[in-house]
Amino acid sequence: MNAAPLLSLRNVSKAYAGIPALRGIDLDVAGGEIHALMGENGAGKSTLIKILAGVVAPDSAEIAIDGKGVNIDSPAGAHRLGLRFIHQELSVVPTLSVAENIVLGRPYPRRAGVLVDWQALNRVALGALETLGIRHIDVRQKMARLSTGDRMLVKISSAFLGEDGAPARLYVMDEPTAALTREESERLFKVLREIKASGNSVLYVSHRIDEVMAICDRATVLRDGRPIDSGVLSAITHDDLVALMIGRKAGEAYPAASRLPSAEVAYERPGLAVRKGEIVGVAGLSGAGQTELLRAIFGDPAKAWASGIAYVPKERRSEGLVTSRPIYQNITLPHLHAQSLGGTWLTPRRERQFATRLGEDVRLRAAGVNQRVLELSGGNQQKVVFAKALGGAPRLLLLDEPTRGVDVGAKFDIYSIIRDMTSRGMAVLLVSSDLPELIGMADRIAVMRDGVIVTTVEARGLSEEALLNLCYGRDAMAA
Amino acid sequence: MLSFLRRYGTLAGFAVVLLFFAMRLPDTFMTAQNWLNITQQLSMLMVVAAGMTIVMVMGDFDLSVGSMASLSGIVAAILFTLGFPIWLAVGVALLVGLLGGVINGALVSLVGILPFVATLATLTIFSGAAFVVSGGKTISGRAIPEAFGEFARQGLTIGTATIPNLTIVAVLVLAAVWVLLEQTTIGRRLYAIGGNVEAAYLSGVPVRRLKLLAFALTGLSAAGAGLLYASRVASANPTQGSGLMLNAIAAVFLGMTMSEQGEPRILATLIGVLILGVLDNGLTQMSVDSYVRQILVGAIIVIAVSASSITKSARR
């Protein structure tokens, strides 16, 4: 590595309302390096990225690019310094075309000075998609018609668009593969390697340890707002990295079941039966009807909760939580009838006790049940959704992607909660696109294709490959 | 400093306004009599704004409250001319308000029309109905029973002060809405709908039924305000409630600047109503032209709401 690192951060600190989010972060990214930024939810990754992007002002920071001290005071300033961002949240304009979304924020090619040269615009956009090897997206169609994965690809390709004046030096990517398929991710990784070969760098934020081990050179792990350097990743193991992240030795990825499911059926419908204490996994390619199955079982929410069916929806922010409200009010919302006087008069003290007890059950880390949900990290928000679901001691728990976007530590907590519930006789239906999770947690796995359950298999001894083949319908090749 | 300004800026502004009037009008402004006057002048607005707060908690609006207030006054007055007893005429007028509110609620929650559009349509319908029923005329004089007009002129005498009946009604409505929003499961669920309607629905909150109820109560309160107004002027005409709607929404917005999450709260709405009422009272006493008054009130709303949103969006 040559003299000065491409990006050097020294002593970056930031506190929100007196609570430190970052405490003196030092971080170097060398030229031609893919550097991973890891850490549990709430460890300070987002804050650090926002500081680099010029969105958040640090309390203190020395930032140098190619050895020269710089001051990032606005998103435009960050752009001029050659920093490019691919954020986790998709910020796209659905009503504009794919091409317009790619060129958004930059001057459109003109004809006669005033008219937009649409052909040139589409060519530019096509070129940007080419860099990722994408040919299946029509740049003239509306963004709204694209799948989530395709939208992410468009967003990513937009960051690679060539530019005059401020050449890109460092790409900061926040969970870019969260919505991508394996093939799409592979294409992205190929581009990342090309960036690396050209001497530019990537700061790569991800929860996916396998991914980080495969493509990154080094990692910086944030824990409680402090940085830990992993050293060269090729010299350490997967488990070492997990241990760095959670601050303890990584044990089993999935807690073991303490007892077998009972023979008594808790829930039954044609093609599906869940026994008391049993976890039935639901596998399938994306859009095979998993969410629809859960919604069909759930039916009318008011009746479902009353009859002992609880639901943890896929999108915790938009479907699971009223983030502007305190934790306890979220937890008691489906149980207000029981947690009030005569179903009418609020009893906040009783509600808080109820919520505090459930919060302890799910190992919720919060300042108290009066804290607003939006102040919690993603993992703790998900625990609030769980506490809410477990409040009425349901007989059937419906889980839709319960660990998506949740860090390693919180994941294990959530698995333990699920095990705990089944040992008390609760029946669980678990939809997940994480195949190891399904195999590790479920007793049996129902495989869905085109909206119907095509087969149900024992999870014990099932290989990931066999399960994937079942999802694709290549039964003959299975096992 | 910024967060202080955000939470308490509106209150501080209110204090400045009070101080200003107290200094400019030393003999008349800070007197018990003037404050009883203010509360009486405000009573109609308070009742409408309290109802408006209920729907705005869910993130909805009701634009039809002003024309509903006019309509309910007209309905009562027409029934008086037909010789109905006061209690029956008042009861029917309130029922009309409830029914109008149910129609709004049904359009919003069952048909699925945006509240803005639905209540804009019913605004026109209620207003038209008021004209049709009254023949476009003001109903006054002997047609209005004396006791009905007397209600607004009398009050509860405690010692030397007389608390106007209108003020008492407004306080009772305020208290009822406070209990509903802050003390009952209905209020909690309305706030959940306002915070995230999808999450509320999936948590078993009966969204449609509650929307219907909320709009019905808003219609009822609008009709109540219309009756207070009719009693105060001992007459009814088909446009007399029209100014209430914008002021009610303005009062709720002023109140929302005081809450951290920008949620409407009923006691904050009360402050909003007081700000509007005090400005109106003080500027009138200083003989400021009523159109200039409108400009000033509008400017103050813009200042309060933008001060709160600027401080919110400031770089953190």
Side-chain angles (χ1 to χ4, degrees), chain A residues 39-353:
Chain A
E40 301 193 20
N41 289 326
K45 290 169 305 188
S46 307
T47 304
L48 188 61
I49 293 172
K50 283 179 186 161
I51 288 172
L52 280 176
V55 180
V56 165
D59 297 335
S60 78
E62 292 158 39
I63 305 176
I65 290 181
D66 294 325
K68 281 198 292 287
V70 295
N71 184 19
I72 304 173
D73 55 2
S74 68
H79 193 93
R80 271 195 301 278
L81 291 167
L83 305 181
R84 298 290 180 272
F85 295 86
I86 294 164
H87 290 292
Q88 193 175 4
E89 290 91 28
L90 280 167
S91 44
V92 298
V93 188
T95 51
L96 293 183
S97 73
V98 169
E100 285 173 285
N101 269 284
I102 289 176
V103 184
L104 207 65
R106 302 175 178 83
Y108 283 13
R110 299 296 174 94
R111 192 192 293 248
V114 284
L115 302 171
V116 175
D117 185 346
W118 293 105
Q119 284 174 353
L121 179 78
N122 290 342
R123 266 200 310 280
V124 168
L126 264 180
L129 286 175
E130 275 292 312
T131 54
L132 279 173
I134 300 163
R135 287 179 194 86
H136 69 283
I137 298 176
D138 178 359
V139 295
R140 286 166 304 184
Q141 68 184 325
K142 293 266 179 287
M143 200 69 176
R145 303 187 56 178
L146 265 51
S147 67
T148 316
D150 282 349
R151 287 183 195 196
M152 196 73 209
L153 290 175
V154 167
K155 205 60 205 154
I156 292 170
S157 66
S158 159
F160 294 130
L161 198 60
E163 221 151 338
D164 335 306
R169 299 286 284 123
L170 175 75
Y171 295 92
V172 179
M173 301 190 182
D174 193 357
E175 301 270 359
T177 57
L180 300 187
T181 64
R182 209 172 280 206
E183 286 159 6
E184 289 164 341
S185 302
E186 280 305 325
R187 282 198 208 120
L188 175 67
F189 297 156
K190 195 166 149 264
V191 176
L192 295 189
R193 292 194 187 96
E194 284 165 16
I195 292 173
K196 180 179 153 134
S198 73
N200 291 331
S201 309
V202 178
L203 187 61
Y204 192 84
V205 182
S206 180
H207 284 313
R208 302 190 175 184
I209 292 168
D210 294 319
E211 209 173 271
V212 166
M213 293 297 288
I215 60 165
C216 296
D217 302 300
R218 281 191 310 150
T220 295
V221 177
L222 294 185
R223 210 165 68 214
D224 301 327
R226 291 200 178 84
I228 302 155
D229 190 347
S230 72
V232 179
L233 284 173
S234 53
I236 67 171
T237 67
H238 182 285
D239 287 352
D240 293 337
L241 189 54
V242 174
L244 282 181
M245 283 183 67
I246 59 179
R248 57 184 156 83
K249 200 86 189 104
E252 289 286 312
Y254 305 97
S258 58
R259 63 175 214 198
L260 289 171
S262 89
E264 201 182 329
V265 171
Y267 175 83
E268 199 169 15
R269 63 186 272 138
L272 178 73
V274 191
R275 289 172 293 169
K276 283 181 124 186
E278 184 183 36
I279 302 175
V280 174
V282 180
L285 302 176
S286 80
Q290 300 93 319
T291 298
E292 290 74 8
L293 174 71
L294 291 191
R295 287 289 179 106
I297 295 171
F298 193 52
D300 176 63
K303 285 186 193 135
W305 287 103
S307 68
I309 300 178
Y311 178 42
V312 171
K314 194 175 189 168
E315 308 285 345
R316 65 172 164 262
R317 281 174 162 277
S318 63
E319 300 172 343
L321 295 165
V322 185
T323 54
S324 59
R325 292 258 127 194
I327 292 169
Y328 82 89
Q329 294 188 6
N330 274 278
I331 292 178
T332 57
L333 191 57
H335 318 295
L336 266 187
H337 194 81
Q339 296 302 319
S340 59
L341 278 180
T344 305
W345 303 102
L346 293 176
T347 49
R349 196 199 291 188
R350 190 156 102 195
E351 282 184 66
R352 286 194 198 97
Q353 282 169 359

Side-chain angles (χ1 to χ4, degrees), chain A residues 14 54-57 73 295 298 301-302 305 317-319 321-322 324-325 329 333-334 336 340 343-346 351 372 374 388, chain B residues 179 181-189 191-196 198-206 260-261 263 265 315-316:
Chain A
K14 172 72 185 175
V55 180
V56 165
D73 55 2
R295 287 289 179 106
F298 193 52
W305 287 103
R317 281 174 162 277
S318 63
E319 300 172 343
L321 295 165
V322 185
S324 59
R325 292 258 127 194
Q329 294 188 6
L333 191 57
L336 266 187
S340 59
T344 305
W345 303 102
L346 293 176
E351 282 184 66
R372 282 170 213 277
L374 52 85
K388 174 178 153 181
Chain B
V179 168
L181 289 180
E182 306 287 341
Q183 300 296 320
T184 70
T185 52
I186 293 174
R188 175 70 62 71
R189 290 177 170 135
Y191 275 108
I193 292 173
N196 185 345
E198 183 65 18
Y201 170 73
L202 288 175
S203 302
V205 172
E260 199 177 355
Q261 295 300 319
E263 285 173 334
R265 304 301 285 256
R315 209 161 167 244
R316 280 166 297 171

Side-chain angles (χ1 to χ4, degrees), chain B residues 32-251:
Chain B
Q33 190 49 49
N34 189 47
W35 277 91
L36 287 175
N37 267 339
I38 292 178
T39 60
Q40 183 171 19
Q41 286 162 1
L42 281 181
S43 56
M44 283 83 58
L45 178 59
M46 186 64 242
V47 171
V48 177
M52 187 67 82
T53 307
I54 301 175
V55 281
M56 286 181 72
V57 158
M58 304 184 303
D60 290 342
F61 284 100
D62 186 347
L63 302 182
S64 70
V65 288
S67 58
M68 175 50 77
S70 304
L71 179 61
S72 84
I74 290 288
V75 166
I78 291 287
L79 292 178
F80 290 148
T81 62
L82 296 175
F84 278 66
I86 293 179
W87 66 268
L88 189 58
V90 165
V92 171
L94 289 175
L95 209 62
V96 167
L98 195 67
L99 195 71
V102 167
I103 293 172
N104 281 332
L107 289 175
V108 170
S109 74
L110 303 181
V111 185
I113 306 177
L114 283 177
F116 189 88
V117 180
T119 60
L120 187 64
T122 54
L123 176 160
T124 324
I125 292 171
F126 297 157
S127 172
F131 273 96
V132 169
V133 173
S134 67
K137 290 193 292 282
T138 301
I139 302 162
S140 61
R142 269 183 299 153
I144 309 292
E146 212 162 286
F148 183 71
E150 277 300 306
F151 178 77
R153 276 186 285 281
Q154 287 173 353
L156 187 66
T157 306
I158 300 169
T160 55
T162 300
I163 300 171
N165 281 336
L166 296 188
T167 303
I168 295 171
V169 172
V171 169
L172 290 178
V173 171
L174 180 76
V177 174
W178 180 80
V179 168
L180 177 80
L181 289 180
E182 306 287 341
Q183 300 296 320
T184 70
T185 52
I186 293 174
R188 175 70 62 71
R189 290 177 170 135
L190 290 177
Y191 275 108
I193 292 173
N196 185 345
V197 65
E198 183 65 18
Y201 170 73
L202 288 175
S203 302
V205 172
V207 175
R208 289 185 167 182
R209 230 185 313 152
L210 285 176
K211 286 212 165 191
L212 210 61
L213 175 72
F215 275 98
L217 291 177
T218 305
L220 181 65
S221 74
L227 290 172
L228 296 182
Y229 206 116
S231 167
R232 182 149 176 258
V233 296
S235 65
N237 86 58
T239 59
Q240 67 190 15
S242 56
L244 286 170
M245 177 264 286
L246 287 177
N247 279 331
I249 294 180

Side-chain angles (χ1 to χ4, degrees), chain A residues 361-362 383 386 390 413-421:
Chain A
D361 283 353
V362 301
K383 287 180 183 176
F386 262 86
L390 301 178
D413 283 351
I414 286 172
Y415 295 142
S416 306
I417 297 162
I418 298 172
R419 285 276 188 242
D420 199 31
M421 292 304 132

